Amino acid sequence: MSRRALLRAAGAATIVAACAPVTTQPGATQTGTTATTKPAGATGTLTFLWGGDTDKLDPPAMTTQEGFIATTALYEGLVRYKPNSTDVEPALAERMPDISSDGLAYTFHLRSGIKFHDGSPLTAEAVAFSFDRSINKDNPLFKEAQAAGGFPFIDDYIGNVVAKVEAVGALDVRFTLRRKFSPLVPNLAIPPGFVISMEALKKYGSKINENPVGTGPFKFVEWKKDDHITVENFDGYWGDRAKLQRIIFQPVPEASVRILKIQRGEGDIAWPFDPKDASSVKGKADTDVLEQPGLNVNMAEFNLKKAQFQNKPLRQALNYAINKQELADKLYSGAGVPAVGVLPATSWGFDSTLKGYTYDPEKAKALLKDAKYGGETITLDSYTIPRGYNPQGAKLAEAIQQYFQAVGVKSEIKTAEWTEYRKIRRQGELNVAFGGWQADTGDPENFLGVFFYSKNQGGVNTSFYGTPEVDKLLEQANEETDTPKRKALFNQAEAKIVDDAPWLFISHMKQQVAIRKRVKDFVLQPTYIYYFNKVSVS
């Protein structure tokens, strides 16, 4: 199939009605806490459909957006995001932290009277215990968790900069930093910063993954792998009671089937879905689409540990070979935006003057000569399931393969199951690895720092990129508190990164959610970490 035919086929507006309705409901046997009587005012069940199951329900151990969404119903951090915003507000803390004059100590003051789902109290000791378990490599619970897969991203967000977390009063907890780090507070609003019950950690250890215990508006009921996760309204919640009685998170691998289920009323919210199917649910009698510009990036990264890709002209040539506008229009049905660099236009760090890689096949061919490319086969490693930043899964790799072929580059595509794919990617075993990022915070550090700071190699940084110049710029940006100065430093770092071309810079996607109109007060979050406290169903 030609590239244009491939793109037309991927963008055709069809829905495959090829399966019988699946209406999985959890049975009486539960793997977690037993459901309580229905709290006053809580009614209805919301069914949230996504493409694949999470790998974990242990917040600092998770590597999937699905896990981030599910655990936001169960857990909370010291701070959280305001609705439809990347601005942070207090959550378990009663106010924003006191920061020492040298910027190396952050003291949070907890709300009083909060209890975890197991009835144990939220105290400074419990908060310190929860964080020490994930950042202190000498902690026995850290070592136990490492044996169960560890905390692959915790250092990227917290561990590299936080030296210790300690109780300095019954409800006062202090974070002591190794160096000044402006993004610390927004980083604490996301799942790696969620607070886990100290008593539950003592009881379950690494098995907290199957027995999650937080302070959130919902408590855990059951997780049947690849079938459903069920959470129930927590009647002891410290804040305004959630309006839903129950949420069921259900994996439905086929994007077209997720849309079909929304149309049939067999699901309430579907994320992600193929943009070509938006018109079939948008503005209908019972269904609609919520959308906004996305705070994300869609890319493929070169594994710089491998000699084949330690060739800058080759990496640049392959960037010039890609028609990003065609991908945005055809493969993503107009829901994609060509990427200039790393940061999307929705980021406050976006540099409108940055010059990226335009579609220029002749320049690509000239650079291939400079790179002394001799016809070697390049392996394109791809996942298969849809992601919010790439709802077409492996079809993107197929399109890129044809762009490469057009400039004389041979390539082969290898795919792997999503969980295994992420694992071997972090281990440095892939080649040109497709991936992407839905920002956890609104700070440019959450793109540029996590992906390109040399100390994060093997965490989020799986291109294994790192240069002293970029490291220094990122460190300066994260020590600076003045936003315009931080932006200038981030822009310098991004310009250097784009020139070095450790990625194929492909696109940014709209955030789109298909929804039944019976769902009320569901709000999109730029970080894709959805809150369910105020959501109801009619």
Side-chain angles (χ1 to χ4, degrees):
M1 182 182 290
S2 70
R3 182 178 75 248
R4 291 186 182 276
L6 172 70
L7 295 174
R8 282 197 300 270
T14 59
I15 297 180
V16 181
C19 77
V22 179
T23 55
T24 304
Q25 296 289 340
T29 302
Q30 300 171 351
T31 58
T33 56
T34 302
T36 59
T37 57
K38 184 172 72 174
T43 60
T45 296
L46 178 97
T47 302
F48 192 110
L49 309 178
W50 51 36
D53 205 352
T54 182
D55 59 339
K56 298 284 182 68
L57 286 175
D58 180 356
M62 296 180 310
T63 65
T64 67
Q65 193 69 34
E66 290 83 354
F68 275 34
I69 293 170
T71 54
T72 301
L74 298 167
Y75 288 102
E76 296 171 300
L78 299 169
V79 292
R80 64 187 168 210
Y81 288 103
K82 296 179 181 178
N84 195 22
S85 174
T86 56
D87 293 335
V88 174
E89 64 182 7
L92 297 179
E94 63 180 9
R95 63 179 187 268
M96 299 303 282
D98 299 328
I99 305 175
S100 63
S101 58
D102 62 4
L104 296 178
Y106 287 62
T107 303
F108 289 88
H109 307 283
L110 304 178
R111 300 177 192 268
S112 62
I114 296 179
K115 292 187 180 297
F116 290 97
H117 301 157
D118 60 4
S120 63
L122 176 76
T123 63
E125 180 188 10
V127 172
F129 190 94
S130 181
F131 279 99
D132 193 74
R133 174 244 183 181
S134 63
I135 67 172
N136 179 4
K137 295 175 174 57
D138 294 325
N139 187 318
L141 288 176
F142 180 96
K143 295 177 180 178
E144 181 181 340
Q146 284 298 101
F151 308 120
F153 301 151
I154 192 70
D155 284 348
D156 302 356
Y157 298 113
I158 301 168
N160 284 336
V161 296
V162 176
K164 62 180 177 179
V165 183
E166 58 188 335
V168 292
L171 295 174
D172 303 321
V173 60
R174 179 185 297 150
F175 289 70
T176 301
L177 279 58
R178 295 184 175 90
R179 62 177 189 274
K180 290 195 289 185
F181 190 67
S182 295
L184 176 66
V185 173
N187 282 3
L188 293 176
I190 61 179
F194 285 172
V195 178
I196 305 172
S197 162
M198 176 172 66
E199 298 306 319
L201 284 171
K202 290 178 179 178
K203 179 178 179 179
Y204 296 115
S206 64
K207 294 187 183 301
I208 195 73
N209 184 61
E210 293 83 29
N211 301 276
V213 181
T215 61
F218 296 88
K219 65 179 183 178
F220 178 67
V221 174
E222 181 178 56
W223 180 18
K224 186 175 180 181
K225 186 67 175 172
D226 297 321
D227 192 274
H228 65 265
I229 298 168
T230 302
V231 301
E232 292 270 359
N233 192 296
F234 175 44
D235 62 359
Y237 185 59
W238 61 273
D240 292 337
R241 182 74 53 78
K243 297 179 180 179
L244 292 167
Q245 170 61 16
R246 181 183 300 106
I247 306 173
I248 298 173
F249 299 99
Q250 186 181 84
V252 179
E254 290 294 330
S256 58
V257 177
R258 289 197 295 281
I259 289 293
L260 187 62
K261 283 177 164 291
I262 294 296
Q263 292 175 314
R264 290 179 173 178
E266 296 165 6
D268 294 301
I269 298 174
W271 169 91
F273 64 90
D274 191 329
K276 69 180 173 57
D277 292 336
S279 61
S280 67
V281 289
K282 189 173 184 177
K284 305 301 181 182
D286 298 317
T287 63
D288 209 347
V289 172
L290 305 181
E291 61 182 19
Q292 62 181 205
L295 191 64
N296 58 57
V297 66
N298 179 27
M299 53 72 169
E301 57 194 8
F302 298 101
N303 184 349
L304 301 182
K305 293 175 68 176
K306 299 201 171 186
Q308 183 180 26
F309 304 116
Q310 294 168 3
N311 184 334
K312 181 176 173 179
L314 173 65
R315 302 194 303 267
Q316 292 178 326
L318 296 178
N319 269 284
Y320 281 115
I322 300 171
N323 190 335
K324 293 181 279 190
Q325 189 64 58
E326 185 176 56
L327 290 173
D329 293 341
K330 301 291 181 59
L331 188 65
Y332 298 124
S333 303
V337 177
V340 176
V342 181
L343 295 174
T346 48
S347 170
W348 61 258
F350 180 72
D351 182 0
S352 60
T353 69
L354 182 65
K355 297 187 184 300
Y357 298 91
T358 57
Y359 177 50
D360 193 337
E362 296 308 312
K363 190 164 187 175
K365 292 175 183 177
L367 281 166
L368 286 171
K369 290 182 181 179
D370 293 344
K372 297 180 172 55
Y373 172 69
E376 303 86 0
T377 298
I378 290 175
T379 300
L380 304 177
D381 292 290
S382 179
Y383 51 89
T384 58
I385 65 172
R387 309 304 299 154
Y389 46 77
N390 173 28
Q392 293 292 4
K395 291 177 182 176
L396 173 60
E398 296 170 17
I400 297 296
Q401 183 181 47
Q402 295 192 25
Y403 288 129
F404 285 0
Q405 183 179 346
V407 296
V409 173
K410 297 178 182 177
S411 62
E412 62 176 355
I413 298 173
K414 292 184 178 179
T415 60
E417 182 273 330
W418 182 232
T419 300
E420 179 66 14
Y421 182 84
R422 294 193 307 276
K423 176 183 176 182
I424 60 179
R425 183 177 168 190
R426 292 195 302 273
Q427 293 170 345
E429 297 179 16
L430 301 184
N431 299 276
V432 181
F434 285 83
W437 191 248
Q438 293 167 167
D440 302 315
T441 78
D443 199 289
E445 153 68 19
N446 193 246
F447 285 97
L448 299 175
V450 296
F451 273 109
F452 302 107
Y453 188 53
S454 61
K455 290 184 180 180
N456 293 340
Q457 292 179 11
V460 179
N461 181 353
T462 44
S463 66
F464 299 91
Y465 176 88
T467 71
E469 178 184 350
V470 169
D471 280 354
K472 183 177 180 180
L473 287 166
L474 292 174
E475 288 170 357
Q476 290 174 332
N478 290 330
E479 291 178 3
E480 181 60 62
T481 57
D482 181 81
T483 298
K485 291 179 180 178
R486 292 191 74 212
K487 182 178 186 299
L489 290 163
F490 281 130
N491 290 167
Q492 291 178 57
E494 186 180 21
K496 172 62 175 170
I497 291 163
V498 169
D499 181 66
D500 285 342
W503 284 4
L504 294 174
F505 304 95
I506 299 172
S507 64
H508 311 285
M509 289 295 299
K510 286 182 181 178
Q511 180 180 184
Q512 293 181 312
V513 168
I515 191 167
R516 297 284 299 179
K517 287 185 175 179
R518 83 182 194 110
V519 179
K520 309 299 181 186
D521 297 319
F522 177 81
V523 178
L524 293 181
Q525 291 292 130
T527 59
Y528 299 81
I529 302 173
Y530 304 121
Y531 298 112
F532 297 95
N533 307 51
K534 297 182 180 180
V535 178
S536 63
V537 291
S538 59

